Amino acid sequence: MNPYCVATYRCYDEKADFAKKAISIAVGLTVGSWTDMPEAKKAEMERHLGKVVRVDVHEPVGAGGTVSERYADIQIAYPDANFSKDIPALLVTVFGKLSMDGRIKLIDLSFSQDFISAFPGPKFGIQGVRNLLGVHDRPLLMSIFKSVIGHDISALREQFYLQAAGGVDLIKDDEILFENPLTPIEKRVEACLEAAAQAKRETGQELLYAVNLTGSTFGLIDQARKAIAHGANALLFNVLAYGFDALSELSRHPDIKVPIMAHPALAGAFYPSTYHGISANVLLGKLMRLAGADLVLFPSPYGSVVMPREENMAIKEVLLTEQASRYIYTGSGGPASREDNAALPLKTSFPVPSAGIHPGLVPLILKDFGDQVIVNAGGGVHGHPMGAIAGGQAFRQAIDACQAGIPLQDYATAEHPELQAAVKLWGIKE
Amino acid sequence: MNPYCVATYRCYDEKADFAKKAISIAVGLTVGSWTDMPEAKKAEMERHLGKVVRVDVHEPVGAGGTVSERYADIQIAYPDANFSKDIPALLVTVFGKLSMDGRIKLIDLSFSQDFISAFPGPKFGIQGVRNLLGVHDRPLLMSIFKSVIGHDISALREQFYLQAAGGVDLIKDDEILFENPLTPIEKRVEACLEAAAQAKRETGQELLYAVNLTGSTFGLIDQARKAIAHGANALLFNVLAYGFDALSELSRHPDIKVPIMAHPALAGAFYPSTYHGISANVLLGKLMRLAGADLVLFPSPYGSVVMPREENMAIKEVLLTEQASRYIYTGSGGPASREDNAALPLKTSFPVPSAGIHPGLVPLILKDFGDQVIVNAGGGVHGHPMGAIAGGQAFRQAIDACQAGIPLQDYATAEHPELQAAVKLWGIKE
């Protein structure tokens, strides 16, 4: 069998013949035309022809039903023979022109074994990040700077120290901090890692600082090299501003010997619409992992900037899954093949649900995500009534409580004043 | 005054306090917090603080009104001091996190004089492309390959020759043609330009062949150099699959001595939603021109894959405008400043409305776009009942008729059998 990559679309239309539309996609986006092709030519072109895998039409049902508009989920298999093994080629093939053709959203992508084998995936993955930190037995804790623009190196260093001293495992740059005269990347890295070393003497903890990789596209490798030469032990990257291929090439580059954290900036231009765009599980899930993100940020379902819980769970599933079947297309129908049950040849990526996180949400986060998650807070650390150090500590205490199976309200006592103060301010949500 | 870039958002919300939301954007996406900042610090941070330029709230009106949902257009000025002078930095600043914050669409962007001066813009622009072709007195004609995947060099060469012999000025690769063993870029360029030379001996016409620039991001310059070394005299680029900065760097690179044609692949993931994404005039208009596209393709309002006419006109306006005022923010209110009336320091880009174009649409296209447009056809050339050469000729005749002020039906006679046959098949739409 020829290898295929498979795209699933949700199309809304009041009266379209969806079966016909599916055929027009399968032919139009591959060989161009088919029925009027001479038979001899057909034999030769067969390996380039797209296939309709499935068309599920959902007719609207009356009041009380779940389908209010007519739509169909259409699944098309595209022969690998038609595109090079990179994400731009795949996306342009499956959703280049088609993205502009009416109310249509790309809701899933599966790859062939061949295609996926061209991607080394995350260089570190969850296990690698845990190894760097020496932490294997609990969810990790990350914090983000409060405000950085217009501040100088010493202000950043101070903010960094307070976060590190509270016991966080990772600190990330603000994604809107670019190269600037006050805090250029090399000075920022040096000052912050010095603060990390100072905190380590007190906490005994390792720490990763994800510094924002920005600037010209063709200069990204050099900029990363510079950051790493000055000690950077992780990178933050605004993937969607540069395209998935830039991430894919950074992550596989031998000089980039540090984990890469993918920021979802601009993702809201793609995923929230019902009728258009690319769904979050593809955009912030499968493609991020395929392109090699070791950690992936996305809007949590808990805060002010929110993504629905089911979309969060779909992202989690594809970042954490070990089985190939969710990623690799092995032909439609029939019993699960050997490949379906094979291990996915990509390391897992850490899910980092972000925005609106306070210590009282930790039980809910761990219930939703399990232990393979990074609890990520900004205001929940800096806004702690006893200061940012206490903010980090309160989170660590909340994680400890959950790990020990103790309800948060029972742990938030005078014995753990930092958690107590946090819970008093923000409450507990379970 | 500090230089600012200005973003305009359309926000939908049934009951939000939009004035308050505007302030939270202006502060939250710049200095982070303001009201609780010490006065001395405020003086220092003022130059980094975002400003609310305008908040226009549109309340819903009853039946017959034009506003069915409550929304506001919010305009925020972001200090240049906060970001580096590149498109990823600007987009991540103005629509990174914010894109995920409810029902909000980026509907306009203006740049500071300073910011825009970091962009050379199109290297050729409309005038430069016309100079290369030696055609200054009429709209240009472009055609696209019919089907390319699975075909070999000699089939491509034949298709190319038929298009060229019909009198088209430009031929573009299919955007889904990637590097492949049958038609690798260097062989494709050589064979097609040989066909162009053959056609030129018959028509006397120059021709640009926009060959698809694909593959790894960090290899794009080398790939372009290879194509140019083999004779490529134009490039096609799937900008949105690689990010605007890749285009910006390609277009300003001294070795890229040929015009770049921007393809809108994936644009439908951004612009069609009412509530989310980035509007077409920004995505396929301002940013494409700023990043240096000499020619910009977008879905025409005439065919099957359509964009509303007013969006087409908005793209045209920003590609063709000579005045700075539509691009450059010079401070709110007051009479137009000197800069408002200045010439924009960017060459104009050729608008290329595409999809569903046949000769009978030429009068309408020229009415909508004027002479500075490229008439671009696929099926309208290849599907001509007398063959592809006649297809190109029919378009040239339609253009001639319009130039001479002769109604198409009066020109589509036995004297112009190619146009006559086209009009018989597809009709005239005026």
Side-chain angles (χ1 to χ4, degrees), chain A residues 264 271 279-286 288-289 296-300 307-321 326-327 349-353 369:
Chain A
Y271 71 76
S279 65
N281 62 311
V282 176
L283 192 77
L284 299 175
K286 280 188 176 178
M288 287 295 186
R289 183 173 173 192
V296 182
L297 275 76
F298 49 89
S300 83
M307 179 187 284
R309 184 175 174 281
E310 60 271 26
E311 290 184 39
N312 258 245
M313 293 302 97
I315 293 175
K316 178 193 89 165
E317 289 284 304
V318 297
L319 294 184
L320 296 183
T321 189
R326 207 180 291 275
Y327 274 78
S349 308
F350 248 127
V352 191
F369 286 89

Side-chain angles (χ1 to χ4, degrees), chain A residues 96 99 217 242 245 249 266 268 270, chain B residues 96 99 217 242 245 249 268 270:
Chain A
S99 71
T217 304
Y242 292 93
D245 188 67
E249 293 190 70
L266 299 172
F270 293 89
Chain B
S99 72
T217 304
Y242 292 93
D245 188 67
E249 294 191 71
F270 292 90

Side-chain angles (χ1 to χ4, degrees), chain A residues 38-58:
Chain A
E39 288 306 314
K41 189 77 187 160
K42 279 187 183 176
E44 181 193 320
M45 295 294 279
E46 170 68 27
R47 63 185 290 267
H48 296 286
L49 176 65
K51 311 276 176 178
V52 177
V53 178
R54 228 181 61 212
V55 179
D56 292 336
V57 180
H58 298 257

